[in-house]
Amino acid sequence: CIINTLLKFPYSLLQIYFLSIAFFHLKTYLCFAILKSRNYMKVFKFGGASVKDAAGVKNLSSIVHQQHGQLIVVVSAMGKTTNLLETLCNAYFHQDPKATAIMKELKDFHLNIVNSLFPLNNPVYKHLEELFTNLENILASESSLCYDYEYDRIICFGELISTTIISDYLKMEGIENQFIDIRKFLKTDQNYRNANIDLELSEQLCKEAFDFNTSSTFVPQGFIAGTRTNQTTTLGREGSDYTAALLANLLNAENVTIWKDVPGVMNADPKEYEKAQVISRMSYKEAIELSHFGAKVIHPKTIKPIQNKQIPLYVRSFLHPESEGTVIQEIDEHLKLPPIYINKENQCLLTLTPRDFSFIAEEKLSHIFAVLAQYKLKLNLMQNSAISFSFCVDCNSAVFNEFLDQLREEFEVRYNQDVKLITIRHYNEEIIREIIGDTPSLVEQRSRTTAQFVLRNHVLQ
């Protein structure tokens, strides 16, 4: 409109020259203003292996220090803290006196890291003491009868402790940031240990909490969330990836980066397969398939929130942050991928036969799935015949005996604990011979793209 108005008047060549320069600068200013108004925010997620010791915390700080603009740093529990807290939860729930020794081990582990990073007068010591006291108060109280509820309110301390240390260390290193108790802003139902997000409420609360006008960097926890009544919930084991994806979706991030101890998504665990190679590009669909079959590099729920808004996901090495790693995004063309080998340990294989010798039909299957859902056991493989149903699940020793007792009310149950499930995506006969060899399998299944094998470790009972 301005240009059309000005063109109605006669100008000399000199005036036209100066007007063109003015228009050029106006156009440049508007472009920069538009770019500045856009939310170029990134989400980083650091897992337990990346912050397992003082050196890992320093390395995280170095990576964050090299970033510019808006950043959310999602952090998991340090090292194997979640495993230790699970042991602590089991001891507390079953009134095992070993809980005191486990609590001491938890405190010593974190204080050893803190003593290597901070001077003694740093506020981090006070912050941690408050967290340790809160956990000790829970352990001193009487347990409820709900294991899943107790699990969530104990297990959350791993992430609360790690983010407290990370946030305080970044501040000491001159990286101003805001600590966020994510339980106040990611809201879920009361499905403890595998809670479902209330997306509408969480979006509203997160947009208020993550105000980049007050801080350019935020440090929230992964894996944990909260109910409307402020009870702690968790999003499923290894759920910090999912937290990062949710925040990226709710806050419209430019991309998400998961920092791992491997150079990217690989076609096998390099600790188990010496020929493992990095896959530089992968589609959302393939990533979902791999996570479902147990690939450790990505949590199963991670992909959907970012795929919904076409947000790229990068998997990069915190050991070599200069490497490009893997990008997961929408890919139209068909990618030729190498065979991908996934080894899922700590599995239980069960075979059920109805006591009344009836068929395994829809009614029986519905009952089996209801029991699996009741005990929150993940089904990784299933196979049925006329009068038997075999399936493989993640083995949870805390509920396994009770789970068996309920199944035995209607079925004869045979089972094998501690078996492993091997999945080969994009398989060929050569890779099956190389991975499986002559090892006999209890169950074998093949589709067009995927082959699965359950291998026995112990005698079937």
Side-chain angles (χ1 to χ4, degrees):
C1 292
I2 294 172
I3 293 172
N4 288 334
T5 302
L6 290 174
L7 287 177
K8 294 178 181 178
F9 300 95
Y11 294 99
S12 67
L13 289 177
L14 185 61
Q15 288 173 315
I16 292 173
Y17 171 74
F18 283 116
L19 276 173
S20 65
I21 293 176
F23 284 133
F24 172 78
H25 285 294
L26 177 62
K27 177 176 143 185
T28 304
Y29 171 80
L30 290 173
C31 287
F32 276 114
I34 292 170
L35 289 172
K36 187 176 180 181
S37 68
R38 293 185 62 181
N39 182 16
Y40 280 103
M41 182 267 288
K42 299 179 181 180
V43 178
F44 281 2
K45 180 263 174 176
F46 290 89
S50 66
V51 289
K52 65 181 180 179
D53 51 27
V57 175
K58 292 178 181 178
N59 186 58
L60 179 151
S61 174
S62 175
I63 292 173
V64 171
H65 191 72
Q66 296 173 28
Q67 303 303 311
H68 302 285
Q70 303 170 355
L71 183 65
I72 295 176
V73 182
V74 177
V75 184
S76 300
M78 293 177 147
K80 299 295 183 180
T81 297
T82 301
N83 293 340
L84 186 62
L85 283 167
E86 285 182 341
T87 306
L88 179 62
C89 179
N90 291 338
Y92 166 66
F93 191 74
H94 297 292
Q95 299 181 334
D96 188 333
K98 292 180 182 177
T100 302
I102 299 169
M103 181 66 202
K104 183 179 184 304
E105 183 181 350
L106 178 77
K107 292 178 69 173
D108 290 346
F109 171 74
H110 288 96
L111 288 175
N112 285 337
I113 293 175
V114 170
N115 291 338
S116 301
L117 295 171
F118 297 90
L120 291 176
N121 61 348
N122 192 279
V124 71
Y125 289 96
K126 180 182 178 182
H127 298 156
L128 289 181
E129 188 56 38
E130 291 175 356
L131 290 171
F132 291 141
T133 300
N134 290 341
L135 178 54
E136 287 168 339
N137 288 339
I138 292 175
L139 299 176
S141 66
E142 185 177 353
S143 169
S144 71
L145 298 178
C146 179
Y147 176 83
D148 292 343
Y149 168 76
E150 299 298 348
Y151 180 97
D152 280 4
R153 72 174 185 146
I154 288 175
I155 214 78
C156 67
F157 282 91
E159 277 67 24
L160 293 171
I161 292 169
S162 66
T163 47
T164 296
I165 295 172
I166 296 300
S167 177
D168 284 353
Y169 184 75
L170 292 177
K171 289 175 182 176
M172 190 177 73
E173 291 295 296
I175 303 173
E176 285 303 316
N177 68 90
Q178 187 172 330
F179 173 91
I180 290 284
D181 186 342
I182 199 63
R183 297 175 298 176
K184 298 177 181 178
F185 310 108
L186 274 185
K187 291 301 181 180
T188 71
D189 60 13
Q190 293 182 321
N191 187 31
Y192 298 108
R193 294 187 63 200
N194 194 22
N196 301 295
I197 294 289
D198 183 334
L199 287 173
E200 185 176 348
L201 177 58
S202 297
E203 181 175 16
Q204 175 188 336
L205 295 174
C206 284
K207 285 183 175 178
E208 294 172 0
F210 292 87
D211 182 0
F212 288 98
N213 292 316
T214 62
S215 178
S216 62
T217 304
F218 290 85
V219 182
Q221 304 77 34
F223 176 48
I224 67 176
T227 67
R228 287 174 177 262
T229 56
N230 294 328
Q231 300 299 314
T232 301
T233 54
T234 57
L235 305 178
R237 196 66 159 84
E238 309 292 343
S240 293
D241 293 355
Y242 183 39
T243 301
L246 283 169
L247 292 176
N249 175 290
L250 299 177
L251 300 172
N252 298 312
E254 179 186 4
N255 58 54
V256 178
T257 300
I258 297 175
W259 295 92
K260 308 285 290 186
D261 58 356
V262 291
V265 177
M266 307 186 75
N267 69 326
D269 186 337
K271 298 174 184 175
E272 299 178 2
Y273 186 63
E274 61 181 15
K275 298 179 183 178
Q277 56 184 288
V278 177
I279 301 172
S280 61
R281 296 175 66 219
M282 181 176 290
S283 67
Y284 292 125
K285 181 179 178 181
E286 182 66 27
I288 289 174
E289 293 282 2
L290 293 182
S291 63
H292 170 75
F293 288 120
K296 298 176 184 177
V297 73
I298 305 168
H299 185 272
K301 293 182 180 179
T302 302
I303 301 301
K304 189 175 186 302
I306 58 175
Q307 189 274 337
N308 286 349
K309 291 194 174 180
Q310 298 294 294
I311 300 170
L313 171 65
Y314 294 89
V315 180
R316 298 173 63 186
S317 169
F318 61 78
L319 300 173
H320 304 283
E322 71 283 356
S323 301
E324 293 184 1
T326 301
V327 59
I328 299 170
Q329 58 191 163
E330 195 69 57
I331 296 176
D332 294 330
E333 74 269 24
H334 176 72
L335 293 179
K336 184 172 177 56
L337 297 174
I340 301 174
Y341 158 48
I342 302 165
N343 181 11
K344 196 168 176 63
E345 299 280 357
N346 192 32
Q347 298 294 290
C348 296
L349 176 68
L350 298 96
T351 299
L352 311 182
T353 305
R355 292 189 180 278
D356 60 3
F357 215 62
S358 60
F359 287 114
I360 294 288
E362 287 77 6
E363 183 179 349
K364 298 290 185 186
L365 290 173
S366 176
H367 175 67
I368 295 169
F369 282 113
V371 177
L372 285 166
Q374 177 183 343
Y375 290 94
K376 296 181 172 63
L377 293 173
K378 182 178 182 297
L379 188 66
N380 298 313
L381 175 145
M382 59 182 173
Q383 191 174 88
N384 70 286
S385 66
I387 57 170
S388 70
F389 181 71
S390 297
F391 58 96
C392 216
V393 294
D394 295 338
C395 195
N396 181 359
S397 58
V399 300
F400 187 69
N401 289 333
E402 187 179 340
F403 170 67
L404 286 181
D405 289 342
Q406 187 155 342
L407 289 175
R408 283 173 175 147
E409 294 176 3
E410 190 168 342
F411 302 95
E412 291 183 1
V413 181
R414 301 175 69 208
Y415 68 92
N416 187 209
Q417 289 181 279
D418 195 29
V419 299
K420 59 183 177 181
L421 174 62
I422 291 179
T423 302
I424 306 175
R425 290 274 296 168
H426 313 291
Y427 67 91
N428 54 48
E429 293 304 319
E430 181 182 352
I431 194 67
I432 290 177
R433 286 193 299 270
E434 182 179 350
I435 300 297
I436 306 300
D438 297 326
T439 305
S441 59
L442 293 169
V443 178
E444 176 180 338
Q445 283 189 170
R446 302 193 193 195
S447 67
R448 288 188 178 93
T449 57
T450 306
Q452 292 186 283
F453 305 85
V454 180
L455 303 185
R456 188 197 319 255
N457 287 332
H458 302 290
V459 177
L460 197 67
Q461 300 182 34

